[in-house]
Amino acid sequence: MKQTITCLLALLLVLLCAAAGAQTLPGIDCFSPGLIRVNQAAQAGAPVTAEAQLTIDNALYARDLSVLAAMLDGTAVRYAGETGADSLVIEREGRTLFSGAMAVDGDGAAGAAIELGGETYLFPSEQDALAALPLGTALAAMSGMGDPMGGLPVLERVPLDRVAAWMEGLAAGDEIAAGYTAQAPFVLERTMSDDGTRLVRIDLSGSVAGEDGSVWAVEGFMRQPAGRAPKDTFEMTFTKDEDNMLELLYSSLRENTITRKNAAGETTVDTTLKLAGKLGGYGISSRLRVRQGNKWTADGENLSEKITVTATLTHQDKTPGRRMQRLNEVSGTIKNVISLTTKETDDAKSGYALSDALTLEVIMDGNTFLKGGAQIALALGGEESGLAAAMLERGAAKEGSPEALEAALADAVQALSAKLYPMLGEAALEKIEKGL
């Protein structure tokens, strides 16, 4: 759970890359050495702390968000994760407004525990504890999902042989994604480079089954060339019948520019994913573009990186009724600007720190549905607090259940409101009293 939250906050799911000399620098084969070191520390179980301050400009088509903005101003959300435990605290002006935590016994003997409002509730297992939370079914399903790519990231290049190995390892009934399972093992044809050292293309065919029993035939290819500016591509088709067929096209161009040898440069990745076809006989199309840039400087010891990741999504769905749901046309942009400085000698013991400035905007059928941002400070390393062992002590704990957690959460929200209300300014309080 700790690693999942870490990855969502800072886009830290990265792959080990090959060292290039005394100091590893960004390039075609390694987009961010600094994030790789951070990820190594996270995978090794280093304690994680994160603090976020949120801003909101638009949400759910509300006309006036001044009260919500006032509530968020000066309010900090703090997350901490360590072996077997995660905690979340909301603070303002040095006062705790909300606190909660979850702990899991690594051996399974002591089960799991959830703390809310100063009370600890015990459950037989992590799955039972997650299922008792709001949105618990989805959380429990996510926690049980494996990672088919073995921790491969969105920022680093995915080796084609890893993809091929995963696809060849799928057996009939194995879950792939979103409720779809393999109907039968996939058939792959491999193409190696001229010197026989690299897998450069795979052609594949197979079929997948949906939860409703529908079967989709899958055919396509994936290509990953070498070179100074390689462009990965793949094309795949998914066909159920003449009214349900989709084509997926992907391209990703990697480039590297050196402005001062071993001292400064910029690495970029420009990725586009297009989906087009028909569902239920009606046209559907989506386009996702992700632009990654890493402007870096190095002095032989320190590597400073400023990583900008901008993702833009456009989606059109001509299914009748989608306009009434404001889902006929959807567009969204999310941007992360991550800054960090690392050394070759850094490790989990010495610790890492980075900052992330995030902005988000979602527009649905021409109307702004959501617009806001966050300033996030993330740190890894240091000593663990022993929170998991303390929470799993059965002496002062209560037996957990969905009903008990629902009541405890309601009490915690009421307590948060009571503490926050006196901290708001006169303008916000006046609007609250008028019923906003």
Side-chain angles (χ1 to χ4, degrees):
M1 186 174 181
K2 174 185 70 176
Q3 292 175 358
T4 301
I5 295 175
T6 304
C7 297
L8 291 175
L9 285 174
L11 304 177
L12 298 183
L13 284 176
V14 286
L15 175 69
L16 293 180
C17 69
Q23 185 176 24
T24 306
L25 301 175
I28 296 299
D29 297 322
C30 179
F31 179 77
S32 171
L35 289 184
I36 285 171
R37 297 186 187 101
V38 171
N39 183 69
Q40 286 179 293
Q43 295 294 329
V48 178
T49 60
E51 178 177 326
Q53 294 191 341
L54 311 177
T55 58
I56 190 75
D57 299 315
N58 299 89
L60 306 175
Y61 311 116
R63 290 178 297 176
D64 189 343
L65 291 175
S66 58
V67 173
L68 178 57
M71 293 171 64
L72 293 175
D73 185 27
T75 300
V77 180
R78 293 190 174 91
Y79 164 80
E82 58 186 63
T83 304
D86 301 88
S87 65
L88 185 70
V89 175
I90 301 176
E91 293 184 352
R92 182 177 176 133
E93 297 178 4
R95 186 177 184 186
T96 299
L97 305 179
F98 171 89
S99 66
M102 179 172 176
V104 179
D105 180 17
D107 297 328
I114 292 178
E115 183 273 323
L116 277 174
E119 296 285 354
T120 302
Y121 302 87
L122 289 175
F123 294 85
S125 68
E126 179 182 8
Q127 293 291 309
D128 292 318
L130 289 173
L133 291 168
L135 301 177
T137 302
L139 291 171
M142 289 175 62
S143 72
M145 290 175 60
D147 182 357
M149 291 294 103
L152 291 175
V154 293
L155 294 186
E156 297 295 333
R157 197 181 191 190
V158 180
L160 194 56
D161 55 0
R162 185 73 67 88
V163 179
W166 170 66
M167 298 193 73
E168 289 178 327
L170 289 172
D174 286 351
E175 184 170 359
I176 298 175
Y180 284 87
T181 58
Q183 172 113 13
F186 279 80
V187 177
L188 270 67
E189 180 181 343
R190 295 170 177 247
T191 301
M192 303 299 292
S193 59
D194 292 339
D195 60 6
T197 60
R198 293 183 66 255
L199 178 63
V200 295
R201 177 177 170 129
I202 57 174
D203 291 82
L204 61 97
S205 62
S207 59
V208 298
E211 293 178 324
D212 59 356
S214 61
V215 177
W216 293 72
V218 182
E219 290 188 0
F221 72 87
M222 300 181 181
R223 179 174 176 271
Q224 189 174 78
R228 299 179 62 182
K231 185 177 183 179
D232 299 346
T233 57
F234 73 67
E235 297 182 11
M236 299 184 70
T237 59
F238 304 83
T239 307
K240 175 184 174 184
D241 51 43
E242 62 180 12
D243 289 329
N244 296 274
M245 53 184 66
L246 298 169
E247 183 180 38
L248 189 63
L249 306 176
Y250 168 93
S251 67
S252 183
L253 175 65
R254 295 176 179 269
E255 297 180 290
N256 190 48
T257 302
I258 302 297
T259 54
R260 285 184 291 128
K261 186 177 180 180
N262 296 329
E266 181 176 10
T267 299
T268 62
V269 184
D270 197 352
T271 301
T272 301
L273 184 66
K274 298 179 181 179
L275 176 70
K278 295 189 296 183
L279 289 178
Y282 296 98
I284 184 172
S285 64
S286 299
R287 184 178 188 271
L288 174 66
R289 183 179 182 185
V290 180
R291 173 77 176 180
Q292 300 169 215
N294 184 358
K295 292 184 178 181
W296 56 271
T297 59
D299 60 9
E301 181 179 9
N302 297 293
L303 172 64
S304 296
E305 302 175 76
K306 183 178 180 180
I307 299 166
T308 302
V309 182
T310 304
T312 303
L313 172 69
T314 56
H315 174 76
Q316 290 185 323
D317 187 347
K318 296 182 179 180
T319 304
R322 288 290 186 261
R323 185 171 294 279
M324 295 297 293
Q325 300 170 322
R326 294 191 174 179
L327 295 175
N328 179 243
E329 292 186 3
V330 179
S331 63
T333 301
I334 183 170
K335 181 178 181 179
N336 287 81
V337 180
I338 302 170
S339 300
L340 73 160
T341 298
T342 56
K343 299 178 181 180
E344 292 286 334
T345 56
D346 285 343
D347 55 23
K349 184 176 181 181
S350 59
Y352 299 91
L354 61 87
S355 64
D356 181 9
L358 180 149
T359 56
L360 170 68
E361 183 176 20
V362 179
I363 298 175
M364 303 176 70
D365 277 341
N367 298 292
T368 301
F369 175 77
L370 180 64
K371 185 177 181 181
Q375 295 288 333
I376 302 167
L378 182 73
L380 288 89
E383 299 294 329
E384 296 194 349
S385 68
L387 177 61
M391 286 182 61
L392 292 168
E393 286 290 338
R394 294 183 172 270
K398 297 181 178 181
E399 183 176 351
S401 68
E403 295 76 17
L405 279 190
E406 183 179 358
L409 185 58
D411 290 342
V413 171
Q414 289 181 359
L416 184 153
S417 301
K419 294 175 183 177
L420 183 58
Y421 186 84
M423 299 180 181
L424 300 178
E426 292 184 5
L429 292 176
E430 183 178 349
K431 291 186 176 182
I432 293 174
E433 291 171 359
K434 290 182 178 180
L436 179 62

